[in-house]
Amino acid sequence: MSRTSKKYVVCVKNRGYRVSLERRKIYELVPDEKALNHNLLRVIDESGDDYLYPADFFVPIKLSASIQSAFSRK
């Protein structure tokens, strides 16, 4: 996956997942069509691993190329 194809979401709810998700934080979205069919999104959470969460916990956002580049650095 290239840097420009990564997608991000911002967390707007974390009820029941307060340890795993922080409200108002940006998370990387992992494409998962099967999950989306069940109103779930796969995101890389605070553990650093990807997990499924309710889709309504997030709002998609578009990052500028420079911000995406900064997020891609380790």
Side-chain angles (χ1 to χ4, degrees):
M1 181 184 295
S2 71
R3 287 182 188 170
T4 57
S5 66
K6 288 187 179 180
K7 297 188 186 228
Y8 296 90
V9 292
V10 64
C11 179
V12 295
K13 297 179 190 175
N14 66 350
R15 187 173 190 189
Y17 300 97
R18 292 185 195 330
V19 173
S20 304
L21 298 172
E22 292 182 34
R23 286 178 49 235
R24 297 180 297 273
K25 184 170 180 177
I26 297 170
Y27 291 94
E28 185 178 336
L29 182 64
V30 177
D32 186 333
E33 288 297 320
K34 188 174 179 182
L36 195 55
N37 290 334
H38 296 281
N39 292 321
L40 298 170
L41 291 180
R42 185 174 296 280
V43 300
I44 299 174
D45 68 8
E46 294 303 310
S47 72
D49 292 321
D50 60 276
Y51 290 98
L52 295 172
Y53 295 100
D56 68 342
F57 278 29
F58 304 92
V59 174
I61 59 172
K62 184 163 177 105
L63 301 178
S64 69
S66 60
I67 293 174
Q68 275 197 20
S69 177
F71 271 44
S72 297
R73 293 186 202 129
K74 292 190 177 199

